[in-house]
Amino acid sequence: MAGLTLAAVGIVYGDIGTSPLYTMKEVFAPAHGLQLTQANIFGIVSMILWGLIIIVSLKYVTLVLRADNRGEGGIMALTALSLESVSKNSKLYFPLTVLGLFGASLFYGDGVITPAMSVLSAMEGIEVATPSFKPVVVPITLIVLICLYAVQRKGTAGIGKMFGPVMLLWFSVLALMGLYNIIRVPGILAAFNPLYAVNFVIDHHWGAFFALGAVVLAFTGSEALYADMGHFGAKPIRAAWFFIVFPALALNYLGQGALLMFNPAAVTNPFYYQLGAWSIYPLVILSTVAAVIASQSTISGTFSMTKQAISLGFLPRMKIVHTSAKEIGQIYIPVANWMQLFVVVGAVIGFGSSTNLASAYGIANTGTMLVTSLLTFFVIRFGWKYNLLLCVAATFFFLAIDVSLFSANALKFFHGGYFPIVLGLIIFTLMLTWKRGRELVFENLKKHAIPLEDFLASLFVSAPTRVYGTAVFLRGEADGVPHALLHNLSHNKILHERVVFLTLHNREIPWVPFSERIKISDLGNSCYQIDLFYGFKNEPDIPAALALCASSGLIFEPMETSYFISRQTIISTPGGGMARWREGIFVAMSRNARDAADYYHIPSNRVIEVGAQVEI
C-alpha cells in the first residue's frame, strides 16, 4: 500500500501538483483587473481551497473513482461503461458515444497544453531571477520538451522509479514554503472559511466569474486521478490525495496568499518569491523536474488513450511499441508521440508565455470534467440502478459547478481558448469519421456476403484437393465467406487440410481473461470457426491466442500455419453514407492504417495477402 501510494504521488498527481507554479499569478494578472486587497486574497484562496475539496476530494476521489470499469478508469473506460449500461438499440447509445468521444478529444487537447504550460511556467523562474534571461525562456523550454519526447521510445521504466520520490520531495517543499509564509501571516488561515469565497462572489458579480476562469487552473489534472486508477487502484490514489497532495497544495496556496499580504510586489510570480531571491534557481531546477514528470504523465496518458481508442474502433491501427517486459501499460506510439510534439512546439512558440497559455489551459480540462459528470450519471442510474433522486443529487451538484467552470473559461475562447477546442474538434471528427466509415464498410461487406455455412455445405459436395498444413482466414464479425478463401479456391484450386476462420471481437470492457478469450465452433470437414475476444486494454496477439486452443485439441504449429488476410482498398463512391470530404478522410486513414499482420503480431513470412476493393 505504501509503495503504491508513493507511485501514485509520482504518476497521478504531477499535473495538479504543479498548478501552484502559475495559478495565483494568473488570478491576479493585470489583465484581469483584480485588486490586490486582503478581502480579494482571502476570497481567492478560499475559492481554491474549497474547489479542491468539492471538485477533487468529493467528486473525483469519493464519487468518480467508484465508477470503475473492471478496475479501469478514464474517459474512454467511462464511455464504455456508460454504453454498456444501455442497449445498442437505445436512443441514448449514439448520444453517449458522441459525448464520450468529445470528452476524449478534449483530453487530447489538454494533453497538448499541459506539457507546454508546465515546462514554460517552470522555466519562467529564470526570468524572475534575472530579467535579462527572458529571451531564452522559450528556446530552453523547447529544448526540454524535445528531449522529453525524444526519449519516449526508450520507455519510462527506469526514470519512472524516481517519479514518486521526486514528487514527494516536491510536495514536501510546497508544504514547507507554505508553512513558512503562514507563520509570518497566520491570519490567512481564516481563508478556510467558505464565507470569504461567497462574499467575494457577491461583491464582484461578473468579476468573480472572470476570476473563476483563472482559479480553475488549480484543479487542472484532476481527471488524471480517474484515468490512472487501473495502474494503482482507488485506495492508493485516495491515500496519496488526503495524506500528501491535498495538505501540501492547501498549505502552499495559503502561503502564497500570506506572501501577497505582506509583499504585494511578489504578485508578478508569487511561487518563486515565497522564500526570497536565494531560492529561485534551486526552485527552477526542482520545478522543471516536477513539470517534466507532469508532462510525462500526460504523454503516457495520451498513448494509453490512443490504444484504447484503437481497440474500441475509434482510430485506425497504429504501431504500438511495448517499452517494458514487465508492465503491459508502458507503451510508445510513434505517430501519437511526434504529432503531439509538433502541436506542443507550436503552442509554446505561438503563445510565448504561461500567461497567454493560461487562457487555453482551463477550457479543455473543464470540458472533460463536464463530460465525466454527465457520463457518471448514466452509469450510476442505468448501470448500477440507483434511485433517480440519489443519482441527481450525486451528480447534478457537481454538474452545476462544472458548467460554471466551463462557462467561465469559455469567455476566453477568443483569447487562446479556441486552441484546445479546435484541436479537440479535429480529433473528434477523425474518430467519429473512422467509426462511421468502418460501420459503412461492414454494412457493404454484409450486403454482398455469402453465408459461410451454406458455402461450406456446397463446397464439400465435390471437395477440392486438400493440401498439407493449416490455413487461417481472418473474417470480420459481419463477413460471410472471406474474400481470401474465394481467391485461393479460384486461382489455386486447393484447400488446406485444416481450415480456420478467425474473427476478432472487441468488447467494451478493459480486460478479457484467458479463460474467456477463445470460442471454438466445429464446422465439419476439419473446418473451424474461432472467435477471439479482447478488451480495450488487452494486447491483440493472434499467434499467442491460437496457442490457447491446445487445451481443446487444436494445436497450431507455427511453420505449418498460413494466415490469409484480405487487404481492403477503400474507395469513395457517390451517394455514400457520409459527406464526400469525410469519405476522403476515411480513405486516407485506411491507407495509412498499420498493417494488420504486424498489428496482430503475425509472423510476416506466414502471411498471404489478397487484395479486395470495398466501396463506402
Side-chain angles (χ1 to χ4, degrees):
M1 183 66 179
L4 285 172
T5 301
L6 180 61
V9 170
I11 300 296
V12 176
Y13 293 105
D15 192 357
I16 197 171
T18 53
S19 59
L21 279 168
Y22 42 77
T23 300
M24 290 293 285
K25 181 184 74 170
E26 297 307 324
V27 170
F28 289 102
H32 296 151
L34 190 62
Q35 298 297 315
L36 199 62
T37 64
Q38 177 175 314
N40 288 346
I41 293 173
F42 274 48
I44 290 297
V45 173
S46 183
M47 288 176 71
I48 292 174
L49 293 177
W50 282 95
L52 292 172
I53 292 171
I54 294 173
I55 296 172
V56 184
S57 299
L58 295 181
K59 177 186 172 181
Y60 279 94
V61 177
T62 304
L63 174 63
V64 177
L65 284 184
R66 291 171 53 86
D68 67 289
N69 192 341
R70 279 76 170 180
E72 290 293 325
I75 191 70
M76 291 301 291
L78 185 63
T79 300
L81 197 62
S82 63
L83 292 176
E84 194 178 87
S85 68
V86 298
S87 67
K88 287 194 174 183
N89 297 324
S90 171
K91 293 181 179 179
L92 293 172
Y93 193 86
F94 181 72
L96 287 176
T97 301
V98 172
L99 186 64
L101 286 182
F102 186 68
S105 301
L106 289 177
F107 180 87
Y108 279 106
D110 186 48
V112 168
I113 300 296
T114 295
M117 182 74 175
S118 299
V119 177
L120 194 55
S121 297
M123 287 299 138
E124 285 174 346
I126 300 175
E127 177 187 341
V128 174
T130 309
S132 60
F133 283 173
K134 182 177 181 178
V136 303
V137 169
V138 170
I140 295 177
T141 299
L142 292 176
I143 292 172
V144 172
L145 287 169
I146 291 171
C147 291
L148 174 62
Y149 280 89
V151 301
Q152 291 304 308
R153 59 187 180 86
K154 298 182 180 296
T156 59
I159 60 174
K161 296 177 181 178
M162 295 298 297
F163 282 5
V166 169
M167 291 307 294
L168 184 61
L169 173 63
W170 169 255
F171 285 117
S172 299
V173 170
L174 290 183
L176 291 173
M177 289 194 301
L179 278 172
Y180 172 74
N181 287 292
I182 291 170
I183 291 172
R184 300 170 76 177
V185 186
I188 191 65
L189 291 173
F192 263 115
N193 186 342
L195 289 178
Y196 283 104
V198 174
N199 290 332
F200 179 82
V201 173
I202 294 174
D203 294 338
H204 290 80
H205 303 293
W206 280 104
F209 191 65
F210 291 128
L212 194 60
V215 169
V216 75
L217 295 174
F219 319 134
T220 55
S222 52
E223 194 69 28
L225 309 179
Y226 184 42
D228 288 316
M229 180 169 59
H231 295 287
F232 308 103
K235 287 185 178 180
I237 292 176
R238 289 191 178 109
W241 172 255
F242 286 117
F243 293 108
I244 299 173
V245 180
F246 175 65
L249 291 177
L251 288 171
N252 196 262
Y253 284 122
L254 286 165
Q256 289 192 43
L259 171 67
L260 293 178
M261 289 179 65
F262 71 80
N263 182 17
V267 72
T268 55
N269 203 316
F271 179 83
Y272 283 109
Y273 282 119
Q274 287 181 89
L275 297 179
W278 67 269
S279 66
I280 293 178
Y281 283 113
L283 282 177
V284 168
I285 296 173
L286 183 59
S287 300
T288 302
V289 176
V292 167
I293 292 175
S295 303
Q296 179 60 61
S297 302
T298 305
I299 296 168
S300 299
T302 300
F303 293 158
S304 179
M305 175 82 74
T306 302
K307 182 177 181 294
Q308 293 179 28
I310 293 171
S311 298
L312 289 170
F314 294 121
L315 286 175
R317 295 184 301 269
M318 301 179 192
K319 182 179 181 180
I320 298 176
V321 179
H322 288 267
T323 58
S324 172
K326 297 180 180 179
E327 297 293 335
I328 192 171
Q330 292 190 11
I331 58 175
Y332 167 64
I333 303 179
V335 173
N337 184 70
W338 298 117
M339 288 184 67
Q340 189 178 40
L341 173 61
F342 177 78
V343 182
V344 168
V345 168
V348 172
I349 296 174
F351 286 93
S353 70
S354 62
T355 297
N356 295 334
L357 267 171
S359 298
Y361 198 18
I363 195 166
N365 191 268
T366 53
T368 308
M369 291 164 58
L370 179 59
V371 172
T372 296
S373 294
L374 289 169
L375 292 177
T376 301
F377 170 79
F378 288 99
V379 171
I380 64 177
R381 172 57 182 158
F382 298 105
W384 300 349
K385 308 297 182 184
Y386 280 11
N387 178 271
L388 177 60
L389 184 60
L390 177 62
C391 295
V392 171
T395 58
F396 275 66
F397 169 68
F398 300 117
L399 187 62
I401 295 175
D402 293 335
V403 169
S404 300
L405 294 175
F406 183 76
S407 301
N409 280 273
L411 295 174
K412 300 183 290 185
F413 181 83
F414 294 104
H415 300 281
Y418 64 86
F419 181 74
I421 294 295
V422 171
L423 182 61
L425 286 174
I426 292 172
I427 296 172
F428 173 76
T429 302
L430 292 176
M431 290 199 292
L432 202 60
T433 297
W434 181 257
K435 181 71 171 177
R436 180 57 182 154
R438 293 306 299 169
E439 290 174 352
L440 291 171
V441 166
F442 289 143
E443 289 173 7
N444 192 294
L445 291 172
K446 187 176 181 180
K447 188 187 304 181
H448 299 92
I450 303 171
L452 180 61
E453 291 78 5
D454 296 342
F455 176 81
L456 292 177
S458 62
L459 177 66
F460 288 106
V461 170
S462 179
T465 302
R466 308 293 290 264
V467 296
Y468 180 74
T470 299
V472 178
F473 294 92
L474 269 68
R475 61 191 290 260
E477 296 181 37
D479 292 358
V481 179
H483 182 83
L485 174 60
L486 296 174
H487 187 279
N488 186 51
L489 288 170
S490 174
H491 292 275
N492 300 322
K493 317 296 184 185
I494 56 95
L495 193 67
H496 288 71
E497 65 177 354
R498 186 169 62 174
V499 179
V500 172
F501 301 100
L502 188 65
T503 303
L504 276 70
H505 303 266
N506 291 309
R507 301 180 62 186
E508 294 174 345
I509 59 175
W511 308 98
V512 174
F514 287 111
S515 59
E516 301 173 14
R517 182 68 52 82
I518 59 172
K519 177 184 176 183
I520 303 173
S521 302
D522 190 342
L523 303 178
N525 297 296
S526 296
C527 296
Y528 301 89
Q529 168 66 43
I530 297 180
D531 294 280
L532 297 182
F533 298 91
Y534 289 103
F536 57 78
K537 295 283 283 185
N538 284 127
E539 177 68 16
D541 189 331
I542 288 179
L546 291 179
L548 299 174
C549 297
S551 59
S552 301
L554 284 179
I555 299 175
F556 292 86
E557 295 293 341
M559 299 308 297
E560 298 174 4
T561 303
S562 298
Y563 297 87
F564 290 79
I565 300 176
S566 292
R567 186 179 64 253
Q568 296 176 348
T569 300
I570 310 298
I571 57 174
S572 177
T573 57
M578 292 191 296
R580 292 302 300 274
W581 64 270
R582 289 185 66 196
E583 290 188 356
I585 291 174
F586 178 74
V587 170
M589 294 173 74
S590 300
R591 290 172 180 169
N592 290 281
R594 188 68 180 174
D595 179 75
D598 187 24
Y599 182 76
Y600 295 126
H601 301 283
I602 303 173
S604 58
N605 63 329
R606 306 305 303 168
V607 174
I608 301 172
E609 287 193 343
V610 178
Q613 284 192 342
V614 180
E615 295 181 355
I616 181 172

